[in-house]
Amino acid sequence: MAPRFKNLDGSGPQGFDTVFKWAVKDKLAGRRRKSPSRAPVPRVEPDLAALATPPAPGEGARLTWLGHASWLVQLDGVSLLIDPVLRDAINVVIRRNVPPGVPSEKLPPIAASLVSHNHYDHLDLPSLQDVRAPIVTGLGHTRIFRGSRLPCTELDWWASTKVGPVTVHYVPSQHWSRRGLADANEMLWGGFVIEGSSARLYHSGDTAYFEGFKEIGRRYPGLDAAMLPIGAYDPAWFMSKQHMNPEEAVQAFEDLGAARFLAMHWGTFKLTDEPLDEPPQRLDTEWNRRQWPREKLHVLAVGESLTVRQG
């Protein structure tokens, strides 16, 4: 059966032969870069008293990095989670390099969990069950949450829903989906634009660099912050079809026309061959090469918060 969904350019997931070359043949032949499974990554203790009260309407948005692609996003009196993966390991095998910024039991009440796609490092069912918030995600995901009794709102690309006073738009990304052996691209993948009274935010989900960033920026001008992935890119011949390197993430930021760059998807889980702490170094080098203002770039520590607002 043909996959249900494709990328904007018509591409689907990589074939078995390509995956086998990356995962097995190149590894056995010693052609893949070796790097340590752990590295020091900055983490700070979150201000739980501050996080207990979301910014009110007109006060902008508070963004707290929880590690990997997981964020606590608070605005207009509402607390949202994006891709919460808050346990010690993914599928038992891949363990966290750094603890989550806020453990699930210390989170404020969550109005909704936004899930970009179904890969296990973005859709962690136990974390979502711990939070017990309704789900907003792409088409095809409801069956995952049926047993957990979590309400699920499915969105197509460019569709929207409301979470209290906040509007959530689901937007394209360049990626793919799979939960099991025979369900490739049966569930949609994407990112989110979150709009409140005084902040407009973008979270890319997992994505390669693609022309869609320009269209997102055109449809949603004046993005106050873009949460963009900078890790999981090595080896490039395989990963560039699904993830961005830091230089590509900087180009995506320019395409989006956003005001602030917030780095994510690095330092938490060892998924690919580059050292865990390499992505922010390459990001810094590229930012300096372009001679862009430093105040627009934010590589937060895990657990750190940043407040952004329009203007």
Side-chain angles (χ1 to χ4, degrees):
M1 186 173 69
R4 179 179 176 188
F5 299 109
K6 294 182 179 180
N7 286 307
L8 289 176
D9 65 1
S11 64
Q14 302 196 63
F16 175 80
D17 288 351
T18 306
V19 175
F20 186 77
K21 178 181 185 305
W22 165 69
V24 180
K25 290 171 71 174
D26 281 7
K27 193 164 191 176
L28 292 175
R31 286 192 288 262
R32 287 175 53 178
R33 180 157 61 138
K34 293 181 173 61
S35 61
S37 60
R38 302 187 72 83
V41 171
R43 184 185 182 277
V44 299
E45 285 301 317
D47 185 344
L48 296 177
L51 296 183
T53 305
E59 294 182 350
R62 183 192 299 129
L63 311 177
T64 305
W65 190 38
L66 307 181
H68 201 51
S70 306
W71 292 84
L72 171 64
V73 173
Q74 299 175 287
L75 70 169
D76 288 49
V78 170
S79 295
L80 306 170
L81 285 177
I82 307 179
D83 287 358
V85 179
L86 304 176
R87 294 187 299 149
D88 290 338
I90 306 170
N91 286 351
V92 181
V93 178
I94 302 173
R95 303 200 65 80
R96 296 187 82 95
N97 177 59
V98 58
V102 184
S104 56
E105 68 272 13
K106 294 185 178 179
L107 288 166
I110 302 299
S113 293
L114 315 185
V115 177
S116 64
H117 67 297
N118 71 5
H119 287 156
Y120 286 89
D121 60 319
H122 293 257
L123 193 169
D124 182 58
L125 192 54
S127 293
L128 293 165
Q129 288 174 312
D130 286 345
V131 173
R132 302 300 306 171
I135 309 296
V136 178
T137 187
L139 296 175
H141 285 77
T142 298
R143 67 177 186 260
I144 293 178
F145 304 107
R146 208 164 277 143
S148 64
R149 298 184 180 178
L150 294 175
C152 179
T153 298
E154 293 186 351
L155 299 175
D156 199 353
W157 286 339
W158 310 120
S160 307
T161 190
K162 297 284 282 190
V163 180
V166 175
T167 303
V168 176
H169 310 274
Y170 194 58
V171 297
S173 69
Q174 181 84 7
H175 202 58
W176 56 289
S177 70
R178 176 179 279 130
R179 230 18 216 180
L181 293 176
D183 64 348
N185 283 20
E186 290 184 6
M187 303 178 201
L188 192 57
W189 53 95
F192 296 99
V193 172
I194 301 165
E195 289 191 276
S197 61
S198 58
R200 176 179 272 181
L201 316 165
Y202 170 68
H203 182 291
S204 69
D206 258 356
T207 185
Y209 177 78
F210 74 132
E211 289 296 312
F213 292 120
K214 294 175 183 175
E215 180 65 11
I216 293 166
R218 187 187 70 78
R219 293 194 188 211
Y220 305 101
L223 293 167
D224 300 293
M227 292 161 269
L228 290 166
I230 64 169
Y233 49 76
D234 190 0
W237 73 265
F238 182 75
M239 289 295 164
S240 64
K241 306 214 174 26
Q242 55 207 320
H243 294 150
M244 292 191 289
N245 63 33
E247 295 80 13
E248 290 168 327
V250 170
Q251 184 59 54
F253 176 72
E254 182 176 50
D255 293 351
L256 291 160
R260 294 175 183 271
F261 183 121
L262 281 77
M264 67 172 183
H265 207 266
W266 73 276
T268 308
F269 298 110
K270 187 75 164 71
L271 302 175
T272 50
D273 295 347
E274 79 274 4
L276 278 165
D277 55 356
E278 180 183 277
Q281 300 167 26
R282 284 179 55 168
L283 175 63
D284 194 64
T285 298
E286 177 64 9
W287 204 268
N288 288 335
R289 187 189 71 80
R290 291 177 178 244
Q291 298 182 317
W292 283 357
R294 301 297 302 181
E295 60 268 19
K296 291 189 172 189
L297 178 62
H298 302 276
V299 182
L300 301 184
V302 175
E304 186 178 359
S305 299
L306 177 73
T307 298
V308 301
R309 55 174 55 87
Q310 287 174 353

